Amino acid sequence: MTDDAWQPMLFGATTAEGSTEDGPADELRVCALNVNSPSPGRAQRIVDWLLATKSNTLVLTEMQPSDGGRHILACLQAEGFTTTCTPGWTDVRYLTVVATRGLEATRVQPAGFDPRIVAVDLATDDTTVRLVGVYGPTNGMTPESSHRRREFQHQLLDYLAAIHHPALCVAGDLNVIEPDHHPRLPAFEDHDYAFYTGLLDLGLRDAYRTLNPAGGDHSWINARFGNQRLDHTLISPGAGQITTCAYDHTPRSEDLSDHAALLTTLGLPSASGATTRRPG
């Protein structure tokens, strides 16, 4: 799907390219949220909340080319965000969108096997971070679901190896949990844990786990299937310093989504190679 397919509903105030309205461009402030296929009414509430986070980069998963999805994209574009999704997918069920403001965004070679993956280079004057947004297939707890997830996971690892970048960030609803997840969830299989481990083998760090070694947060809460930490941000050391990473459950508590958002702040390297950190 090209970005042009989202254009008909532009409205609202705009922000000039390069604006620092959301803070300095020496930070990457990523909000990853599964928007849960919103209706137009819920879509407007989601946009209002996203803007309030002051994030300069949004990774939106479980998007659909529906009225709700178009509403979110049109509102973000009107607010000065550049939106990127996989081109050429006009009749898909689900896709991932990356929206960014105040950073130069350039589309990276698409993952031709699935519109659930979108990659973009985000550039400042000093550095470029390659961001890959991902919406992994849901665990349907059936043999067919397992096969679909396994194939997707293998293809994604191959794709990430092919487009590898010294400053790499992978974010979104991966629909997998870490091998020592608590509680233990027998519905996940060896290939799910191998996929998570494979991401780390690419040199990526789990941002939440890096800052919260003993943290027990979950991003999807379900009494029947068990609470699960499905949403992740994984970052290579070359991308900068992870300064904050936390789950915000407001989208769940306010019925915007059935997922918590994952908010991550990354201090970007300067031209001298040092990582810029704001005081405090």
Side-chain angles (χ1 to χ4, degrees):
M1 178 175 296
T2 63
D3 294 346
D4 292 342
W6 301 96
Q7 292 295 332
M9 298 176 61
L10 292 179
F11 55 89
T14 60
T15 302
E17 184 177 355
S19 168
T20 58
E21 177 179 327
D22 297 326
D26 56 9
E27 287 184 338
L28 193 64
R29 296 177 303 284
V30 181
C31 174
L33 176 65
N34 179 318
V35 298
N36 193 26
S37 305
S39 64
R42 185 159 55 87
Q44 182 60 57
R45 295 172 56 222
I46 289 172
V47 169
D48 292 341
W49 184 83
L50 289 171
L51 294 176
T53 69
K54 299 300 182 182
S55 301
N56 58 16
T57 302
L58 309 172
V59 178
L60 307 179
T61 55
E62 202 174 330
M63 286 282 288
Q64 290 186 314
S66 61
D67 289 344
R70 290 185 176 90
H71 189 89
I72 288 176
L73 269 292
C75 288
L76 291 177
Q77 291 166 354
E79 292 292 337
F81 281 84
T82 298
T83 59
T84 306
C85 51
T86 300
W89 299 85
T90 56
D91 298 308
V92 300
R93 183 177 182 185
Y94 296 121
L95 67 155
T96 297
V97 173
V98 170
T100 188
R101 181 165 65 180
L103 300 162
E104 181 182 349
T106 304
R107 190 194 308 274
V108 178
Q109 168 191 338
F113 59 92
D114 205 307
R116 294 167 174 262
I117 303 166
V118 60
V120 60
D121 280 343
L122 304 178
T124 68
D125 290 340
D126 294 330
T127 190
T128 297
V129 175
R130 178 157 292 177
L131 175 68
V132 183
V134 178
Y135 177 41
T138 302
N139 184 351
M141 294 178 287
T142 65
E144 292 77 15
S145 168
S146 178
H147 175 76
R148 182 174 66 253
R149 292 196 322 279
R150 183 171 59 250
E151 290 301 306
F152 176 91
Q153 292 161 1
H154 288 168
Q155 289 177 308
L156 177 55
L157 288 175
D158 289 343
Y159 173 69
L160 292 175
I163 65 163
H164 201 275
H165 189 278
L168 181 65
C169 175
V170 177
D173 176 7
L174 303 187
N175 265 310
V176 294
I177 58 176
E178 56 196 322
D180 56 352
H181 184 280
H182 297 286
R184 185 69 179 174
L185 300 171
F188 288 89
E189 303 180 37
D190 288 345
H191 66 80
D192 295 305
Y193 301 126
F195 170 59
Y196 176 89
T197 302
L199 292 170
L200 301 185
D201 289 342
L202 290 173
L204 300 173
R205 301 166 291 168
D206 184 323
Y208 171 80
R209 189 56 66 208
T210 297
L211 298 187
N212 304 274
D217 282 304
H218 303 103
S219 59
W220 189 70
I221 310 299
N222 189 281
R224 178 182 178 187
F225 298 112
N227 300 341
Q228 303 175 16
R229 191 168 77 91
L230 301 173
D231 302 82
H232 305 271
T233 299
L234 301 107
I235 298 169
S236 69
Q241 182 170 357
I242 305 165
T243 58
T244 65
C245 186
Y247 292 95
D248 188 325
H249 291 271
T250 305
R252 293 182 48 254
S253 64
E254 296 188 356
D255 295 323
L256 304 180
S257 174
D258 58 348
H259 283 247
L262 181 56
L263 303 177
T264 306
T265 304
L266 188 66
L268 298 175
S270 68
S272 64
T275 297
T276 304
R277 296 190 64 180
R278 297 171 66 190

